[in-house]
Amino acid sequence: MSRTMWNAAVATGAAAVFAGVATVPAGAAEGGVSFSRVSFNKGKPIVVGVQEEVEVHATFRMTTTRKYKYGPTVVPYRGKLSSTDTLHSAVITSDCHVVNKAKGICDFEEWVYIDPRNLDFGNEDAGTWRTAAELAIVVGGGDIDDMNIPLQVQRATRVTVNAAPEPVVKGRTITVTGKVTRANWDTHTYQGYAGRTVSLQFKADGASSYTTVKKVTSGSTGSLRTTVKAAKSGTWRWNYYGNPTAGAKASTGDHVVVRPASS
């Protein structure tokens, strides 16, 4: 989304300048620059809420013997490389960590910031993006390459839980309620997420992990409700596994003590 404001990348790392004594390495892009070893958010989806700026970490390698102005940067993009929308409010690139000075090989770290409060950011920005690597060259313009790495940008979800009564007699009914909501980037609020399949999970006292007991579909306001028989003490939670445009999220746990039935 380079809708002007999003193009304001801040590359603060000092640009490394290599003497042009080596030939352009094999596989270099048309601008005499090649990028490799790109890792963006460790391949995980980028989940964005409604208020908090998100910091995304990236690493990459660049090979060039050309003198450049600043950067380089690796960012999410959509559209064509020649006329692209990029997704960031700011980018900070580290100094060059020299791998091979003669060949102009550098490793970089990068921090990309995405602020959902930006006026150009909206619900339409959820979904699949691609990764572009770019460098501004002192003479001859610049170089921008599609790294062929897809990125999922997702709206954050929230999930709540309440299990009652607490405590409960063994064999009686426990009612588990909750709600799943999703970030609305247009209104900067969380709204009920209807029609979602959410797993009710239980972890018995002394157990190390949760087990899915049943699955429930959220109502028109995102509400969740079901009943189970009380068998043993433990913790109940709801777990939503997400989708391409909405992040995965589990609720906190609600512990219920199950007491023996009176003889």
mmCIF file of all heavy atoms in Angstrom, residues 94-131:
data_model
loop_
_atom_site.group_PDB
_atom_site.id
_atom_site.type_symbol
_atom_site.label_atom_id
_atom_site.label_comp_id
_atom_site.label_asym_id
_atom_site.label_seq_id
_atom_site.Cartn_x
_atom_site.Cartn_y
_atom_site.Cartn_z
ATOM 1 N N SER A 94 19.472 -2.411 9.345
ATOM 2 C CA SER A 94 20.747 -2.375 10.052
ATOM 3 C C SER A 94 21.878 -1.979 9.114
ATOM 4 O O SER A 94 21.719 -1.921 7.892
ATOM 5 C CB SER A 94 21.050 -3.765 10.640
ATOM 6 O OG SER A 94 21.417 -4.666 9.596
ATOM 7 N N ASP A 95 23.033 -1.743 9.696
ATOM 8 C CA ASP A 95 24.250 -1.601 8.905
ATOM 9 C C ASP A 95 24.589 -2.944 8.257
ATOM 10 O O ASP A 95 24.094 -3.996 8.668
ATOM 11 C CB ASP A 95 25.419 -1.168 9.783
ATOM 12 C CG ASP A 95 25.248 0.244 10.318
ATOM 13 O OD1 ASP A 95 24.447 1.006 9.749
ATOM 14 O OD2 ASP A 95 25.911 0.567 11.333
ATOM 15 N N CYS A 96 25.429 -2.879 7.267
ATOM 16 C CA CYS A 96 25.903 -4.094 6.601
ATOM 17 C C CYS A 96 26.751 -4.942 7.545
ATOM 18 O O CYS A 96 27.682 -4.442 8.175
ATOM 19 C CB CYS A 96 26.738 -3.694 5.383
ATOM 20 S SG CYS A 96 27.841 -4.995 4.767
ATOM 21 N N HIS A 97 26.394 -6.238 7.641
ATOM 22 C CA HIS A 97 27.254 -7.208 8.310
ATOM 23 C C HIS A 97 28.028 -7.916 7.191
ATOM 24 O O HIS A 97 27.485 -8.758 6.486
ATOM 25 C CB HIS A 97 26.422 -8.198 9.112
ATOM 26 C CG HIS A 97 25.539 -7.549 10.139
ATOM 27 N ND1 HIS A 97 26.033 -6.903 11.247
ATOM 28 C CD2 HIS A 97 24.190 -7.420 10.201
ATOM 29 C CE1 HIS A 97 25.040 -6.435 11.965
ATOM 30 N NE2 HIS A 97 23.904 -6.720 11.347
ATOM 31 N N VAL A 98 29.278 -7.539 7.016
ATOM 32 C CA VAL A 98 30.045 -7.969 5.853
ATOM 33 C C VAL A 98 30.282 -9.477 5.879
ATOM 34 O O VAL A 98 30.774 -10.033 6.869
ATOM 35 C CB VAL A 98 31.396 -7.233 5.783
ATOM 36 C CG1 VAL A 98 32.211 -7.728 4.593
ATOM 37 C CG2 VAL A 98 31.166 -5.730 5.680
ATOM 38 N N VAL A 99 29.935 -10.114 4.772
ATOM 39 C CA VAL A 99 30.196 -11.543 4.588
ATOM 40 C C VAL A 99 31.415 -11.740 3.688
ATOM 41 O O VAL A 99 32.292 -12.545 3.984
ATOM 42 C CB VAL A 99 28.964 -12.253 3.973
ATOM 43 C CG1 VAL A 99 29.266 -13.728 3.695
ATOM 44 C CG2 VAL A 99 27.758 -12.115 4.894
ATOM 45 N N ASN A 100 31.461 -10.970 2.588
ATOM 46 C CA ASN A 100 32.591 -11.035 1.659
ATOM 47 C C ASN A 100 32.735 -9.655 1.025
ATOM 48 O O ASN A 100 31.958 -9.282 0.149
ATOM 49 C CB ASN A 100 32.350 -12.103 0.591
ATOM 50 C CG ASN A 100 33.561 -12.334 -0.284
ATOM 51 O OD1 ASN A 100 34.189 -11.390 -0.779
ATOM 52 N ND2 ASN A 100 33.905 -13.602 -0.510
ATOM 53 N N LYS A 101 33.716 -8.911 1.469
ATOM 54 C CA LYS A 101 33.872 -7.530 1.011
ATOM 55 C C LYS A 101 34.211 -7.464 -0.470
ATOM 56 O O LYS A 101 33.687 -6.622 -1.205
ATOM 57 C CB LYS A 101 34.959 -6.835 1.830
ATOM 58 C CG LYS A 101 35.113 -5.357 1.503
ATOM 59 C CD LYS A 101 36.082 -4.681 2.454
ATOM 60 C CE LYS A 101 36.183 -3.192 2.150
ATOM 61 N NZ LYS A 101 37.131 -2.517 3.081
ATOM 62 N N ALA A 102 35.069 -8.346 -0.933
ATOM 63 C CA ALA A 102 35.489 -8.305 -2.330
ATOM 64 C C ALA A 102 34.311 -8.534 -3.283
ATOM 65 O O ALA A 102 34.228 -7.926 -4.350
ATOM 66 C CB ALA A 102 36.575 -9.354 -2.578
ATOM 67 N N LYS A 103 33.403 -9.401 -2.895
ATOM 68 C CA LYS A 103 32.237 -9.694 -3.750
ATOM 69 C C LYS A 103 31.023 -8.823 -3.417
ATOM 70 O O LYS A 103 29.990 -8.916 -4.072
ATOM 71 C CB LYS A 103 31.860 -11.172 -3.617
ATOM 72 C CG LYS A 103 32.918 -12.121 -4.160
ATOM 73 C CD LYS A 103 32.471 -13.562 -4.045
ATOM 74 C CE LYS A 103 33.513 -14.505 -4.627
ATOM 75 N NZ LYS A 103 33.078 -15.932 -4.516
ATOM 76 N N GLY A 104 31.140 -7.986 -2.393
ATOM 77 C CA GLY A 104 30.034 -7.104 -2.034
ATOM 78 C C GLY A 104 28.865 -7.825 -1.405
ATOM 79 O O GLY A 104 27.711 -7.484 -1.667
ATOM 80 N N ILE A 105 29.147 -8.809 -0.551
ATOM 81 C CA ILE A 105 28.073 -9.591 0.072
ATOM 82 C C ILE A 105 27.868 -9.111 1.509
ATOM 83 O O ILE A 105 28.806 -9.078 2.310
ATOM 84 C CB ILE A 105 28.402 -11.090 0.068
ATOM 85 C CG1 ILE A 105 28.649 -11.569 -1.363
ATOM 86 C CG2 ILE A 105 27.277 -11.882 0.715
ATOM 87 C CD1 ILE A 105 29.103 -13.023 -1.439
ATOM 88 N N CYS A 106 26.629 -8.733 1.802
ATOM 89 C CA CYS A 106 26.257 -8.238 3.130
ATOM 90 C C CYS A 106 25.047 -8.982 3.657
ATOM 91 O O CYS A 106 24.125 -9.307 2.898
ATOM 92 C CB CYS A 106 25.884 -6.758 3.079
ATOM 93 S SG CYS A 106 27.264 -5.618 3.114
ATOM 94 N N ASP A 107 25.005 -9.215 4.966
ATOM 95 C CA ASP A 107 23.793 -9.657 5.644
ATOM 96 C C ASP A 107 23.180 -8.472 6.382
ATOM 97 O O ASP A 107 23.904 -7.619 6.923
ATOM 98 C CB ASP A 107 24.100 -10.784 6.635
ATOM 99 C CG ASP A 107 24.304 -12.123 5.943
ATOM 100 O OD1 ASP A 107 23.854 -12.268 4.781
ATOM 101 O OD2 ASP A 107 24.899 -13.027 6.557
ATOM 102 N N PHE A 108 21.847 -8.421 6.397
ATOM 103 C CA PHE A 108 21.139 -7.318 7.032
ATOM 104 C C PHE A 108 20.040 -7.844 7.961
ATOM 105 O O PHE A 108 19.461 -8.905 7.741
ATOM 106 C CB PHE A 108 20.469 -6.422 5.981
ATOM 107 C CG PHE A 108 21.419 -5.648 5.129
ATOM 108 C CD1 PHE A 108 21.889 -6.182 3.933
ATOM 109 C CD2 PHE A 108 21.854 -4.391 5.505
ATOM 110 C CE1 PHE A 108 22.759 -5.475 3.124
ATOM 111 C CE2 PHE A 108 22.736 -3.669 4.699
ATOM 112 C CZ PHE A 108 23.195 -4.213 3.508
ATOM 113 N N GLU A 109 19.774 -7.050 8.979
ATOM 114 C CA GLU A 109 18.564 -7.199 9.774
ATOM 115 C C GLU A 109 17.666 -6.022 9.467
ATOM 116 O O GLU A 109 18.142 -4.934 9.110
ATOM 117 C CB GLU A 109 18.885 -7.226 11.266
ATOM 118 C CG GLU A 109 19.368 -8.540 11.800
ATOM 119 C CD GLU A 109 19.379 -8.542 13.320
ATOM 120 O OE1 GLU A 109 20.361 -8.031 13.883
ATOM 121 O OE2 GLU A 109 18.413 -9.035 13.925
ATOM 122 N N GLU A 110 16.369 -6.240 9.661
ATOM 123 C CA GLU A 110 15.423 -5.173 9.339
ATOM 124 C C GLU A 110 14.226 -5.260 10.293
ATOM 125 O O GLU A 110 13.835 -6.339 10.727
ATOM 126 C CB GLU A 110 14.956 -5.325 7.892
ATOM 127 C CG GLU A 110 13.973 -4.276 7.429
ATOM 128 C CD GLU A 110 13.512 -4.552 6.011
ATOM 129 O OE1 GLU A 110 12.529 -5.315 5.857
ATOM 130 O OE2 GLU A 110 14.122 -4.025 5.087
ATOM 131 N N TRP A 111 13.660 -4.083 10.573
ATOM 132 C CA TRP A 111 12.461 -4.003 11.401
ATOM 133 C C TRP A 111 11.420 -3.190 10.641
ATOM 134 O O TRP A 111 11.634 -2.012 10.331
ATOM 135 C CB TRP A 111 12.777 -3.360 12.738
ATOM 136 C CG TRP A 111 13.735 -4.188 13.546
ATOM 137 C CD1 TRP A 111 13.441 -5.115 14.499
ATOM 138 C CD2 TRP A 111 15.166 -4.182 13.445
ATOM 139 N NE1 TRP A 111 14.589 -5.693 14.997
ATOM 140 C CE2 TRP A 111 15.663 -5.136 14.368
ATOM 141 C CE3 TRP A 111 16.085 -3.461 12.662
ATOM 142 C CZ2 TRP A 111 17.020 -5.389 14.524
ATOM 143 C CZ3 TRP A 111 17.433 -3.725 12.811
ATOM 144 C CH2 TRP A 111 17.896 -4.677 13.745
ATOM 145 N N VAL A 112 10.304 -3.851 10.327
ATOM 146 C CA VAL A 112 9.223 -3.221 9.578
ATOM 147 C C VAL A 112 8.082 -2.935 10.551
ATOM 148 O O VAL A 112 7.677 -3.809 11.324
ATOM 149 C CB VAL A 112 8.729 -4.131 8.438
ATOM 150 C CG1 VAL A 112 7.526 -3.524 7.730
ATOM 151 C CG2 VAL A 112 9.857 -4.391 7.445
ATOM 152 N N TYR A 113 7.560 -1.707 10.506
ATOM 153 C CA TYR A 113 6.496 -1.301 11.421
ATOM 154 C C TYR A 113 5.195 -1.091 10.649
ATOM 155 O O TYR A 113 5.179 -0.443 9.598
ATOM 156 C CB TYR A 113 6.900 -0.027 12.161
ATOM 157 C CG TYR A 113 8.116 -0.242 13.037
ATOM 158 C CD1 TYR A 113 9.403 -0.039 12.531
ATOM 159 C CD2 TYR A 113 7.988 -0.700 14.340
ATOM 160 C CE1 TYR A 113 10.523 -0.273 13.313
ATOM 161 C CE2 TYR A 113 9.107 -0.935 15.132
ATOM 162 C CZ TYR A 113 10.367 -0.722 14.614
ATOM 163 O OH TYR A 113 11.483 -0.956 15.387
ATOM 164 N N ILE A 114 4.109 -1.668 11.181
ATOM 165 C CA ILE A 114 2.786 -1.538 10.575
ATOM 166 C C ILE A 114 1.856 -0.956 11.632
ATOM 167 O O ILE A 114 1.643 -1.547 12.691
ATOM 168 C CB ILE A 114 2.264 -2.902 10.083
ATOM 169 C CG1 ILE A 114 3.220 -3.489 9.047
ATOM 170 C CG2 ILE A 114 0.863 -2.763 9.499
ATOM 171 C CD1 ILE A 114 2.875 -4.909 8.637
ATOM 172 N N ASP A 115 1.304 0.213 11.357
ATOM 173 C CA ASP A 115 0.442 0.914 12.306
ATOM 174 C C ASP A 115 -1.002 0.895 11.794
ATOM 175 O O ASP A 115 -1.311 1.528 10.782
ATOM 176 C CB ASP A 115 0.919 2.358 12.470
ATOM 177 C CG ASP A 115 0.260 3.056 13.647
ATOM 178 O OD1 ASP A 115 -0.835 2.617 14.049
ATOM 179 O OD2 ASP A 115 0.834 4.038 14.156
ATOM 180 N N PRO A 116 -1.917 0.184 12.468
ATOM 181 C CA PRO A 116 -3.295 0.103 11.981
ATOM 182 C C PRO A 116 -4.045 1.426 12.053
ATOM 183 O O PRO A 116 -5.118 1.563 11.460
ATOM 184 C CB PRO A 116 -3.932 -0.939 12.908
ATOM 185 C CG PRO A 116 -3.137 -0.853 14.173
ATOM 186 C CD PRO A 116 -1.722 -0.571 13.712
ATOM 187 N N ARG A 117 -3.482 2.413 12.751
ATOM 188 C CA ARG A 117 -4.154 3.714 12.853
ATOM 189 C C ARG A 117 -3.879 4.603 11.651
ATOM 190 O O ARG A 117 -4.454 5.685 11.534
ATOM 191 C CB ARG A 117 -3.700 4.413 14.142
ATOM 192 C CG ARG A 117 -4.120 3.675 15.409
ATOM 193 C CD ARG A 117 -3.355 4.139 16.618
ATOM 194 N NE ARG A 117 -1.923 3.813 16.505
ATOM 195 C CZ ARG A 117 -1.035 4.029 17.465
ATOM 196 N NH1 ARG A 117 -1.426 4.549 18.613
ATOM 197 N NH2 ARG A 117 0.240 3.715 17.291
ATOM 198 N N ASN A 118 -3.002 4.144 10.743
ATOM 199 C CA ASN A 118 -2.743 4.917 9.535
ATOM 200 C C ASN A 118 -4.019 5.041 8.713
ATOM 201 O O ASN A 118 -4.772 4.075 8.551
ATOM 202 C CB ASN A 118 -1.656 4.211 8.716
ATOM 203 C CG ASN A 118 -1.150 5.078 7.584
ATOM 204 O OD1 ASN A 118 -1.884 5.348 6.646
ATOM 205 N ND2 ASN A 118 0.100 5.497 7.662
ATOM 206 N N LEU A 119 -4.283 6.212 8.187
ATOM 207 C CA LEU A 119 -5.526 6.464 7.458
ATOM 208 C C LEU A 119 -5.668 5.599 6.218
ATOM 209 O O LEU A 119 -6.775 5.340 5.753
ATOM 210 C CB LEU A 119 -5.608 7.948 7.073
ATOM 211 C CG LEU A 119 -5.740 8.936 8.232
ATOM 212 C CD1 LEU A 119 -5.742 10.372 7.698
ATOM 213 C CD2 LEU A 119 -6.988 8.666 9.050
ATOM 214 N N ASP A 120 -4.561 5.130 5.671
ATOM 215 C CA ASP A 120 -4.610 4.329 4.454
ATOM 216 C C ASP A 120 -4.774 2.837 4.727
ATOM 217 O O ASP A 120 -4.792 2.036 3.806
ATOM 218 C CB ASP A 120 -3.325 4.536 3.637
ATOM 219 C CG ASP A 120 -3.314 5.888 2.949
ATOM 220 O OD1 ASP A 120 -4.401 6.409 2.675
ATOM 221 O OD2 ASP A 120 -2.220 6.409 2.698
ATOM 222 N N PHE A 121 -4.863 2.455 5.989
ATOM 223 C CA PHE A 121 -4.939 1.044 6.366
ATOM 224 C C PHE A 121 -6.390 0.658 6.602
ATOM 225 O O PHE A 121 -7.111 1.324 7.345
ATOM 226 C CB PHE A 121 -4.122 0.826 7.635
ATOM 227 C CG PHE A 121 -3.855 -0.615 7.967
ATOM 228 C CD1 PHE A 121 -2.967 -1.353 7.219
ATOM 229 C CD2 PHE A 121 -4.498 -1.230 9.030
ATOM 230 C CE1 PHE A 121 -2.699 -2.686 7.527
ATOM 231 C CE2 PHE A 121 -4.246 -2.543 9.347
ATOM 232 C CZ PHE A 121 -3.350 -3.277 8.587
ATOM 233 N N GLY A 122 -6.858 -0.434 5.972
ATOM 234 C CA GLY A 122 -8.252 -0.846 6.117
ATOM 235 C C GLY A 122 -8.416 -2.342 5.970
ATOM 236 O O GLY A 122 -7.468 -3.080 5.692
ATOM 237 N N ASN A 123 -9.651 -2.803 6.143
ATOM 238 C CA ASN A 123 -9.940 -4.233 6.111
ATOM 239 C C ASN A 123 -9.525 -4.900 4.807
ATOM 240 O O ASN A 123 -9.203 -6.093 4.779
ATOM 241 C CB ASN A 123 -11.430 -4.472 6.358
ATOM 242 C CG ASN A 123 -11.843 -4.109 7.774
ATOM 243 O OD1 ASN A 123 -11.030 -4.129 8.699
ATOM 244 N ND2 ASN A 123 -13.114 -3.773 7.960
ATOM 245 N N GLU A 124 -9.536 -4.131 3.718
ATOM 246 C CA GLU A 124 -9.162 -4.695 2.419
ATOM 247 C C GLU A 124 -7.693 -5.107 2.368
ATOM 248 O O GLU A 124 -7.269 -5.829 1.449
ATOM 249 C CB GLU A 124 -9.447 -3.700 1.295
ATOM 250 C CG GLU A 124 -8.549 -2.463 1.257
ATOM 251 C CD GLU A 124 -8.952 -1.355 2.202
ATOM 252 O OE1 GLU A 124 -9.903 -1.568 2.998
ATOM 253 O OE2 GLU A 124 -8.334 -0.268 2.163
ATOM 254 N N ASP A 125 -6.907 -4.686 3.355
ATOM 255 C CA ASP A 125 -5.487 -5.021 3.359
ATOM 256 C C ASP A 125 -5.196 -6.382 3.982
ATOM 257 O O ASP A 125 -4.039 -6.826 3.982
ATOM 258 C CB ASP A 125 -4.696 -3.930 4.085
ATOM 259 C CG ASP A 125 -4.739 -2.610 3.339
ATOM 260 O OD1 ASP A 125 -4.467 -2.624 2.123
ATOM 261 O OD2 ASP A 125 -5.073 -1.585 3.949
ATOM 262 N N ALA A 126 -6.204 -7.052 4.521
ATOM 263 C CA ALA A 126 -6.015 -8.412 5.014
ATOM 264 C C ALA A 126 -5.907 -9.371 3.828
ATOM 265 O O ALA A 126 -6.542 -9.174 2.799
ATOM 266 C CB ALA A 126 -7.177 -8.816 5.913
ATOM 267 N N GLY A 127 -5.098 -10.406 3.993
ATOM 268 C CA GLY A 127 -4.960 -11.398 2.929
ATOM 269 C C GLY A 127 -3.507 -11.641 2.565
ATOM 270 O O GLY A 127 -2.595 -11.429 3.369
ATOM 271 N N THR A 128 -3.295 -12.091 1.346
ATOM 272 C CA THR A 128 -1.958 -12.493 0.899
ATOM 273 C C THR A 128 -1.207 -11.333 0.253
ATOM 274 O O THR A 128 -1.734 -10.666 -0.637
ATOM 275 C CB THR A 128 -2.053 -13.658 -0.098
ATOM 276 O OG1 THR A 128 -2.749 -14.750 0.518
ATOM 277 C CG2 THR A 128 -0.668 -14.129 -0.514
ATOM 278 N N TRP A 129 0.007 -11.111 0.720
ATOM 279 C CA TRP A 129 0.929 -10.161 0.124
ATOM 280 C C TRP A 129 2.147 -10.936 -0.375
ATOM 281 O O TRP A 129 2.305 -12.116 -0.081
ATOM 282 C CB TRP A 129 1.358 -9.105 1.144
ATOM 283 C CG TRP A 129 0.252 -8.177 1.554
ATOM 284 C CD1 TRP A 129 -0.851 -8.486 2.306
ATOM 285 C CD2 TRP A 129 0.137 -6.787 1.238
ATOM 286 N NE1 TRP A 129 -1.642 -7.386 2.475
ATOM 287 C CE2 TRP A 129 -1.057 -6.320 1.833
ATOM 288 C CE3 TRP A 129 0.929 -5.893 0.521
ATOM 289 C CZ2 TRP A 129 -1.480 -4.998 1.721
ATOM 290 C CZ3 TRP A 129 0.514 -4.580 0.418
ATOM 291 C CH2 TRP A 129 -0.678 -4.139 1.000
ATOM 292 N N ARG A 130 2.988 -10.268 -1.127
ATOM 293 C CA ARG A 130 4.243 -10.846 -1.582
ATOM 294 C C ARG A 130 5.393 -10.016 -1.007
ATOM 295 O O ARG A 130 5.172 -8.986 -0.372
ATOM 296 C CB ARG A 130 4.279 -10.872 -3.109
ATOM 297 C CG ARG A 130 3.175 -11.746 -3.696
ATOM 298 C CD ARG A 130 2.956 -11.484 -5.164
ATOM 299 N NE ARG A 130 4.066 -11.977 -5.977
ATOM 300 C CZ ARG A 130 4.131 -11.820 -7.285
ATOM 301 N NH1 ARG A 130 3.179 -11.159 -7.932
ATOM 302 N NH2 ARG A 130 5.154 -12.311 -7.973
ATOM 303 N N THR A 131 6.604 -10.486 -1.228
ATOM 304 C CA THR A 131 7.779 -9.832 -0.651
ATOM 305 C C THR A 131 8.646 -9.235 -1.744
ATOM 306 O O THR A 131 9.044 -9.929 -2.678
ATOM 307 C CB THR A 131 8.607 -10.840 0.160
ATOM 308 O OG1 THR A 131 7.752 -11.532 1.056
ATOM 309 C CG2 THR A 131 9.692 -10.130 0.945
#
